[in-house]
Amino acid sequence: MLPPPAWPIDFRTTLLRATLYVLFIGGIAQGAYLEAIYLPSVRFTELGFTEFTQTVILATCCLMLIYVRHVLKVWPTITLLLLAFIAASLVREQDYFFDEYIARNTWKVVVSLIVIPSIVWVVIQRRRFIEEFACYSNTFAFGLFAAGVLTTYVFSRLYGRQIFWRAVLEDNYVREFKDVAEEVVELLGYSLILFATLELLLLALRIHKARRVAN
């Protein structure tokens, strides 16, 4: 269920959130800039600011979703599916470490172990999922999440195509340009997913509070 009109978000709160989101986006952009200047040996690699921040963002999203699902107990099938998706993304971002220190393609096995059982459970609970999605799809959190997914998994992939950057740079093509463009856009997309997860958490807190008042 959605929280009743008695629990609105006032303009001041909305403005505060928007300001914090703007500052965060500005911060990661500045961080990528400083990474390029001061971390030349690891910039835009798994050990650099951009990829490390991606990992932190995804891990934070996972923790928030676990809290929403297991503590607040709001929309359990929706949050399970979101958690599986983001956890799989987190594992995928660690592919270098899995390949280097465990075995090649290990991350694919881990992702499968996360995603397949989650999808099976959601299918089993499909009626509940449809009911929850009817509420979730009408929230600001869903809009932000959709924007983050489109940015990360569609636009960044197309924008980071080698053929595109070869056409842009021609004889001056260097792979690093392509990698930087793709990774920074990915970071932006993950940031939108972070905002979406935070909005979901705040909404879940309101729903939880409304339930307690009702009882």
Side-chain angles (χ1 to χ4, degrees):
M1 71 173 190
L2 285 170
W7 305 99
I9 302 175
D10 59 37
F11 176 75
R12 181 179 298 178
T13 301
T14 302
L15 183 61
L16 175 61
R17 291 185 195 175
T19 302
L20 293 175
Y21 295 161
V22 169
L23 292 175
F24 187 88
I25 293 296
I28 61 172
Q30 184 67 14
Y33 167 69
L34 295 176
E35 176 182 10
I37 295 177
Y38 296 110
L39 300 173
S41 60
V42 297
R43 62 181 182 180
F44 306 105
T45 68
E46 286 74 15
L47 301 177
F49 165 82
T50 299
E51 296 227 22
F52 177 75
T53 305
Q54 291 175 0
T55 295
V56 171
I57 286 175
L58 292 172
T60 302
C61 289
C62 288
L63 292 175
M64 286 193 288
L65 287 169
I66 290 172
Y67 182 78
V68 171
R69 187 172 194 272
H70 294 285
V71 178
L72 302 180
K73 302 184 184 304
V74 173
W75 298 337
T77 56
I78 289 289
T79 50
L80 175 63
L81 199 59
L82 294 176
L83 179 59
F85 179 81
I86 294 174
S89 299
L90 176 60
V91 172
R92 173 64 181 85
E93 287 298 330
Q94 315 312 310
D95 61 334
Y96 169 80
F97 299 105
F98 279 106
D99 291 346
E100 187 73 14
Y101 298 107
I102 302 179
R104 291 193 61 82
N105 297 320
T106 304
W107 68 270
K108 295 180 181 179
V109 176
V110 178
V111 166
S112 298
L113 293 174
I114 293 171
V115 172
I116 293 175
S118 301
I119 292 177
V120 169
W121 178 250
V122 170
V123 170
I124 294 172
Q125 300 289 327
R126 57 188 176 276
R127 290 186 178 179
R128 186 170 187 174
F129 171 79
I130 292 172
E131 292 175 358
E132 293 176 5
F133 187 76
C135 297
Y136 176 61
S137 62
N138 287 286
T139 66
F140 181 49
F142 174 74
L144 278 174
F145 187 81
V149 170
L150 290 172
T151 300
T152 303
Y153 299 96
V154 180
F155 182 77
S156 74
R157 299 298 185 268
L158 296 174
Y159 188 61
R161 287 177 299 173
Q162 185 177 120
I163 189 173
F164 171 75
W165 286 99
R166 285 188 180 278
V168 171
L169 299 174
E170 298 179 340
D171 294 338
N172 297 314
Y173 172 77
V174 178
R175 181 183 174 83
E176 185 178 12
F177 289 113
K178 179 197 84 69
D179 292 341
V180 169
E182 185 173 358
E183 292 300 331
V184 172
V185 172
E186 271 191 19
L187 180 57
L188 172 61
Y190 286 142
S191 298
L192 294 176
I193 291 175
L194 174 67
F195 301 159
T197 309
L198 177 58
E199 289 291 334
L200 175 58
L201 170 61
L202 295 173
L203 177 58
L205 287 169
R206 292 165 59 215
I207 294 173
H208 184 70
K209 185 176 181 180
R211 286 174 177 172
R212 293 181 61 184
V213 170
N215 294 331

